[in-house]
Structures are given as C-alpha cells and as structure tokens.
Amino acid sequence: MHFAYYFYGMNKYLLILVILFSSCKSDKKNQDFLTEDYNVKLEVYNFDELEPLLTKKDDKVYVVNFWATWCAPCIKELPYFEKLNEDYKSKNVEVILVSLDFPNQYEKRLKPYIKKNKLQSKVVALNDVDSNTWIPKIDKNWTGAIPATVIYSSEKRAFYERSFNYSELEEEVNKFLK
Amino acid sequence: MKTIKKWSALLLIAVIASAFTSVNKGYKIGDIATDFKLENIDGKMVSMSNFEDAKGFIITFTCNTCPYAVAYEDRIEALNKMYAPKGYPVIAIMPNNIDVKPGDNMAAMQKRAKEKGFTFPYLMDKDQEIYPQYGATKTPHIYVLEKTKKGNVVKYIGAIDDNYQDASKVKTKYVENAVNALLNGKEIEVKETKAIGCSIKV
C-alpha cells in the first residue's frame, strides 16, 4: 500500500511507466486475480442509506471503522478490526468497515484490496460529498480526519478519532460487553 | 498555614485551567492566530508579518500525499490567484512528519509546487509546532484570518467547499464566501465546516 502512496507525488509519465513495467512483470496468478473470479460485491451508500448501520438497536455491539485504502494508518489498523470481528463473533460483536475511497477507486483499488486481503468484516463504501452535513451526525467532535471509529450498542455509544492497536481496541470493546 | 492554603488554591486553579485548555485544543472563531516563521520551498523563511499589505490570510494546511489535498490543489491555487491581489493571500503549510510520509519532504514539496505552478508560499511545519496551536487535524484544513490591530483573528475554519470529488459540482464555496464577506465588511454566514481529510502524521 505504501508504494501506491508515492504515486501522488510522482510524475504522470513515470507513473504510466511504472504501471506498464509492473504489468509486464506480473505473474500469471496475479493476472487471474485481476481478471477472473472477480466477484467482490460492494454496497455503495449515501449517508441516509448508511445511517441505519450506525443506529441498529439489537443485542449486538457494533464497531464501525471509517477508513480508505489510501490512508496509511487505516491500513495499519485494519487487521486488528478483522481480528476483532473474528475473535469476538461469539460475543455478539460485529465489525463494519466503511470505506471513504473515491468512487473512481472502487474498481481499481478498493475491490482488489478487499479481495487480496480476504476481508471478512462487512465492507460498505460511503459516497456522499456533503461531508459538512453528515460528519457532525456521526459525532459532533469529529473533525473529519480518518481513521475514525464508532463503537455502539443499543445502550451506549463512543466515538474515537484515533488509531488503535489490538489491545486498545479490545479494551474499548470490552467496555460494551457485560 | 495561610500561605499553604493560598498556594494550594492557586495550584487547584492551575490544574483546573490546564484541564480545560487541554480539552479545547486549537483555535475557535474569534481567537488570535499565532504568527510563524517557517521555511518555504525557495529556502526563505516566511511569516505572516512579511505581508505588510495583506488584509488577512487563507492559511491552508495541506500536503502532497493525501488524496483529498491533491483533489484540492487546483482550487487552492485558484483561491490565491483570486484573493492575493485583494489582500487575502494563501499560505500553505505542510504539517506532516516526513519520516512517516517521505513523499512530503522538502524536495517533494518543491517538485509538486513546480509541477502544479503554485504561486503561493508552501511552507514546512518542520518542528510540528504550528499546526497543533491552530488545532489542524487533517489535510486539507483551512483557516481564514483577518488582520486587525490586535492580531490575525480566526474568522473561518474548515473546508474549501462542499464537494471534494468534483469542483464543477460544488454548491457552496465556503472559503470564497468567507473572504468575500470579510472584503465587503459583512458577517460570515458559515464560520465552521467539517470535511473528511487525512490525519496529520506525527
């Protein structure tokens, strides 16, 4: 992921060269991955459509993480959310990963990322440019920086504009478990 | 005994005061923004006090490596072209730790500015001491300041406009509206906005 980051600072032509070069080099297996058996389904929501996922009232604890493939600290902590989703399934905890990737990156980066990393948590994409309206609805203290996470149950709710490691994440989730 | 009481009362006040200031990080509308002395891409040091004729500033925390910041590059340049002649120049400040984001180092900043033809100063907050005082948390993050006798007063904090994806579909140009209001001596309607951005790398 780090590699892709530098594209932004790179000369366009160099970028094209790099893509050409790397596609020549890519092995058979990689090509299969890009062309065949490619069925990652991605639900794309605006904020009104996303909101029900942030306000469920059942017996589960929901951990909603806002991330993007281009966000290095998000990618760093993503495996912890995946692990949490797996380890705490039996404790009625569900992780939802809300991607803020740009729509023109869904096919190029987001779906390949989901597939390559075999993400097991529910992934949805939020495509709603009017962030000034929806950011305060998620939390009034959120300045808009990602990563950001909401943990909620039917009884309580907490918002975090920060990164997590696994033990920190467990600690917060445990506050929601009886 | 009396002095101990007095001192402990003072200490208590200090503790309470520091607790409050740590909660309210960064500037609010109406605060006086600190000046700075930061290195520009041309090697010179730049401060707001260098701009004697300015009526105010469009302070823009931005960088090379954040897709949101990149999406706004042309619009930041357009703001400078439009408002520098009217007394509100853009001053861009790159706040990231370059050990974490080497793509934001001085050479990369120089290269990007040249490629994009930036006409505004593009400074590096090398010691990462300025952005926390402003309370910037992400790139891009804008502070519109008005120069007064008391200092540079914070008049607007937030996003440039309401569509990071497509400049042609923007409905509300927050920064333009704010600067226009200041130029016309009117009240700014929307003083604070929220937008998604990349967290500043520490």
Side-chain angles (χ1 to χ4, degrees):
Chain A
M1 290 323 296
H2 246 86
F3 181 56
Y5 245 89
Y6 300 122
F7 282 174
Y8 290 101
M10 246 187 220
N11 185 306
K12 252 183 222 157
Y13 303 104
L14 187 58
L15 172 67
I16 291 164
L17 270 178
V18 169
I19 290 169
L20 283 176
F21 185 64
S22 53
S23 59
C24 293
K25 266 184 71 178
S26 65
D27 56 13
K28 175 78 171 66
K29 201 177 151 201
N30 212 345
Q31 281 175 4
D32 283 348
F33 153 66
L34 284 172
T35 53
E36 295 162 29
D37 183 32
Y38 189 67
N39 53 3
V40 174
K41 278 187 196 136
L42 182 69
E43 292 167 48
V44 181
Y45 295 149
N46 63 28
F47 183 72
D48 289 340
E49 292 160 341
L50 178 77
E51 207 169 16
L53 292 183
L54 295 161
T55 50
K56 291 191 190 193
K57 288 197 183 339
D58 50 32
D59 57 349
K60 280 189 179 178
V61 172
Y62 291 92
V63 179
V64 186
N65 175 244
F66 293 86
W67 69 293
T69 58
W70 47 257
C71 163
C74 304
I75 294 307
K76 196 179 166 201
E77 68 175 7
L78 207 66
Y80 309 134
F81 285 88
E82 278 285 281
K83 185 171 161 54
L84 185 84
N85 190 53
E86 187 58 38
D87 293 355
Y88 281 72
K89 216 169 245 173
S90 58
K91 292 175 183 161
N92 245 354
V93 174
E94 185 181 336
V95 171
I96 301 171
L97 302 171
V98 181
S99 160
L100 289 163
D101 280 87
F102 292 4
N104 62 11
Q105 301 291 312
Y106 292 164
E107 297 300 325
K108 274 188 276 181
R109 287 188 64 177
L110 180 57
K111 286 184 179 183
Y113 183 85
I114 294 167
K115 184 159 175 98
K116 190 179 162 206
N117 294 284
K118 301 188 178 73
L119 297 189
Q120 298 299 308
S121 309
K122 181 183 178 67
V123 182
V124 300
L126 173 60
N127 179 23
D128 196 325
V129 291
D130 191 11
S131 46
N132 187 45
T133 304
W134 59 258
I135 286 174
K137 288 183 184 171
I138 290 173
D139 192 276
K140 64 176 170 43
N141 293 321
W142 188 11
T143 70
I146 56 171
T149 300
V150 174
I151 304 179
Y152 77 93
S153 67
S154 57
E155 284 157 20
K156 64 181 194 171
R157 191 176 190 87
F159 174 80
Y160 311 87
E161 184 171 330
R162 52 166 281 192
S163 296
F164 283 101
N165 63 33
Y166 190 62
S167 61
E168 290 166 341
L169 195 54
E170 272 191 306
E171 195 184 319
E172 290 306 318
V173 168
N174 281 325
K175 290 179 187 168
F176 285 79
L177 299 171
K178 283 153 218 158
Chain B
M1 217 32 216
K2 248 185 185 173
T3 42
I4 292 175
K5 260 189 190 165
K6 209 191 246 172
W7 279 110
S8 49
L10 275 176
L11 186 69
L12 186 68
I13 289 165
V15 167
I16 292 168
S18 67
F20 274 103
T21 49
S22 67
V23 170
N24 298 316
K25 277 182 200 160
Y27 295 139
K28 299 264 180 299
I29 300 300
D31 286 352
I32 306 286
T34 184
D35 201 353
F36 39 76
K37 195 175 181 187
L38 300 172
E39 190 182 0
N40 193 10
I41 44 174
D42 62 4
K44 291 180 185 147
M45 302 304 280
V46 171
S47 301
M48 288 193 278
S49 60
N50 300 145
F51 295 75
E52 282 171 19
D53 298 332
K55 296 173 184 162
F57 300 92
I58 304 171
I59 304 295
T60 304
F61 291 93
T62 188
C63 68
N64 291 346
T65 53
C66 171
Y68 281 88
V70 171
Y72 272 110
E73 281 172 334
D74 292 342
R75 282 176 266 183
I76 294 166
E77 174 59 25
L79 281 174
N80 190 53
K81 283 227 173 75
M82 195 182 325
Y83 290 111
K86 293 179 180 173
Y88 278 84
V90 167
I91 300 180
I93 301 175
M94 198 299 293
N96 287 335
N97 178 349
I98 58 168
D99 294 331
V100 180
K101 279 268 165 262
D104 285 323
N105 68 23
M106 191 46 98
M109 284 169 61
Q110 288 162 343
K111 186 163 175 273
R112 194 69 195 151
K114 202 176 168 193
E115 282 167 1
K116 298 298 295 183
F118 290 163
T119 55
F120 49 83
Y122 189 14
L123 317 178
M124 181 183 278
D125 188 4
K126 196 175 162 193
D127 299 326
Q128 297 195 296
E129 280 175 358
I130 297 303
Y131 86 79
Q133 295 184 59
Y134 279 71
T137 58
K138 61 189 192 296
T139 53
H141 203 151
I142 319 298
Y143 292 76
V144 175
L145 313 180
E146 183 182 32
K147 194 195 275 187
T148 70
K149 277 175 190 158
K150 283 185 282 176
N152 293 301
V153 180
V154 178
K155 289 290 185 176
Y156 170 83
I157 304 173
I160 291 174
D161 57 42
D162 64 357
N163 193 323
Y164 55 86
Q165 283 177 15
D166 189 344
S168 69
K169 288 187 183 147
V170 168
K171 289 192 201 112
T172 312
K173 298 179 172 179
Y174 304 123
V175 169
E176 282 191 27
N177 291 349
V179 179
N180 286 340
L182 291 172
L183 287 169
N184 296 322
K186 290 189 176 143
E187 183 76 8
I188 297 171
E189 278 181 37
V190 182
K191 297 186 178 76
E192 279 188 85
T193 58
K194 298 283 181 75
I196 293 293
C198 308
S199 58
I200 289 171
K201 306 300 182 289
V202 289

